[in-house]
Amino acid sequence: MGFLEGKKALITGIASDRSIAWGAAQVMAREGCELAFTYQGDKIKDRVIGFAKQVGNSLCMPMDVTSDEQIDAVFRTLNKEWDDLDVILHSIGFAPRDQMSGNYLETINREGSHIAHDISSYSFPALAKAGRSMLKANSSLVTLSYLGAARAIPNYNVMGPAKASLEANVRFMAADLGKHGIRVNGISAGPIKTLAAVGIGGFRGMMSQFEKVAPLRRAVTTEEVGNVVAFLSSDLASGITGEIVYVDAGYNILGFGIN
Ligand code: 0WD
């Protein structure tokens, strides 16, 4: 019997078969979790429905997190199917392409900053607010972050402050929801070649440097990140809340990388 048997999860942020959320969905399905998916827009609707079929024909709903109406509609639809909800996986991040390469101060602007924070950070508590009435004791909320929240990383630019804000949201949400037995955690993943990642300037070079110096001397896979999403979503992690767990082959412990 899988360690997520009997649990029901809402999975956001699948854009392709390389998406971290798809890695997580496959592990969670393997461990017995029932899944529902959201997709950002009509362009990826059919693709996500195809993925859903592979893991048991799960419910698929449109949701662009810039729209409160679409967020509310997801939970209205979900509530018709399920009485309650055990897991929300938030695997969504975005900044306009022009924000993701070049010098920090030359690149950052008000509009880019607003969009990055809205989509990459505020959307996490927004999902928790809208889904709150379906969450119960032992429910778990999980989001995806990156080292740029804690360290200055070339080209990551405004996504750094946005991820720092997301990680602060993890702590504030955990402090708020803990009294109801609801846990909130984040995973800081090492670089993985996904659609979101290739939009970051110099990603290829960063990746090869990472593989040379990370303590494990390799990148991580979406399955490895998915395993930790599944663990944090499960009762095995019942004592963990408000944490950022690094799944990065150890990279974040380094003060100075030498190969
Ligand atoms: O190296 C990496 N790939 C890392 C990613 C390292 C550490 C963290 N992460 C984070 C990302 O910042 C993001 O929060 O993991 C999360 C998932 O990203 P991913 O799996 O790497 O990337 P991808 O497969 O592109 O999925 C992210 C998706 C979007 O993809 P695109 O490429 O189409 O922008 O987030 C979704 C969208 O499907 N998304 C939205 N969903 C709803 N409403 C929105 C939106 N407004 N904007 C983006």
Side-chain angles (χ1 to χ4, degrees), residues 13-15 19-20 40 63-66 91-94 119 144-146 163 189-192 194-197:
I14 295 184
S19 294
I20 292 171
Q40 189 192 347
M63 183 180 71
D64 187 315
V65 293
T66 57
S91 187
I92 291 168
F94 180 79
I119 296 179
L144 265 303
S145 189
Y146 176 60
K163 290 296 195 192
I192 301 176
T194 62
L195 292 175

Side-chain angles (χ1 to χ4, degrees), residues 12-16 18-21 38-40 44 63-66 90-94 119-120 143-147 156 159 163 166 187-197 200 203 206-207 222:
T12 69
I14 295 184
S16 78
R18 294 177 173 204
S19 294
I20 292 171
T38 68
Y39 53 87
Q40 189 192 347
I44 55 172
M63 183 180 71
D64 187 315
V65 293
T66 57
H90 173 271
S91 187
I92 291 168
F94 180 79
I119 296 179
S120 313
T143 187
L144 265 303
S145 189
Y146 176 60
L147 186 60
Y156 203 59
M159 278 301 285
K163 290 296 195 192
L166 176 67
I187 294 171
S188 184
I192 301 176
K193 200 173 167 220
T194 62
L195 292 175
I200 302 166
F203 179 77
M206 195 178 96
M207 190 82 184
T222 57

Side-chain angles (χ1 to χ4, degrees), residues 34-236:
E34 210 179 321
L35 304 175
F37 294 96
T38 68
Y39 53 87
Q40 189 192 347
D42 280 344
K43 265 205 315 215
I44 55 172
K45 179 179 178 182
D46 291 343
R47 205 183 305 163
V48 173
I49 289 174
F51 290 135
K53 281 194 182 136
Q54 290 179 45
V55 288
N57 228 349
S58 321
L59 179 67
C60 294
M61 297 162 283
M63 183 180 71
D64 187 315
V65 293
T66 57
S67 158
D68 287 334
E69 292 74 31
Q70 288 192 29
I71 293 175
D72 288 340
V74 162
F75 289 100
R76 268 201 311 277
T77 307
L78 204 57
N79 216 352
K80 286 183 194 144
E81 299 286 320
W82 294 343
D83 291 338
D84 45 37
L85 180 62
D86 301 283
V87 180
I88 299 176
L89 174 60
H90 173 271
S91 187
I92 291 168
F94 180 79
R97 189 54 95 89
D98 70 356
Q99 295 290 292
M100 301 295 294
S101 63
N103 294 329
Y104 184 65
L105 283 183
E106 284 168 20
T107 304
I108 194 167
N109 58 41
R110 193 181 300 274
E111 171 81 355
S113 200
H114 173 81
I115 293 171
H117 282 77
D118 185 22
I119 296 179
S120 313
S121 176
Y122 173 69
S123 63
F124 188 39
L127 291 185
K129 269 163 88 90
R132 175 68 190 89
S133 64
M134 290 186 75
L135 301 170
K136 55 183 186 187
N138 298 325
S139 290
S140 165
L141 311 182
V142 181
T143 187
L144 265 303
S145 189
Y146 176 60
L147 186 60
R151 313 253 198 282
I153 293 188
N155 299 315
Y156 203 59
N157 295 343
V158 69
M159 278 301 285
K163 290 296 195 192
S165 162
L166 176 67
E167 293 188 4
N169 265 317
V170 167
R171 292 183 285 274
F172 274 79
M173 290 160 68
D176 187 9
L177 294 172
K179 54 186 170 295
H180 306 292
I182 301 166
R183 299 180 297 103
V184 186
N185 292 290
I187 294 171
S188 184
I192 301 176
K193 200 173 167 220
T194 62
L195 292 175
V198 295
I200 302 166
F203 179 77
R204 214 182 258 263
M206 195 178 96
M207 190 82 184
S208 72
Q209 179 65 11
F210 180 95
E211 288 168 337
K212 282 187 197 128
V213 302
L216 294 180
R217 299 294 194 275
R218 63 171 178 83
V220 294
T221 64
T222 57
E223 186 185 1
E224 287 176 311
V225 178
N227 283 334
V228 181
V229 173
F231 162 68
L232 288 173
S233 303
S234 79
D235 296 341
L236 294 172

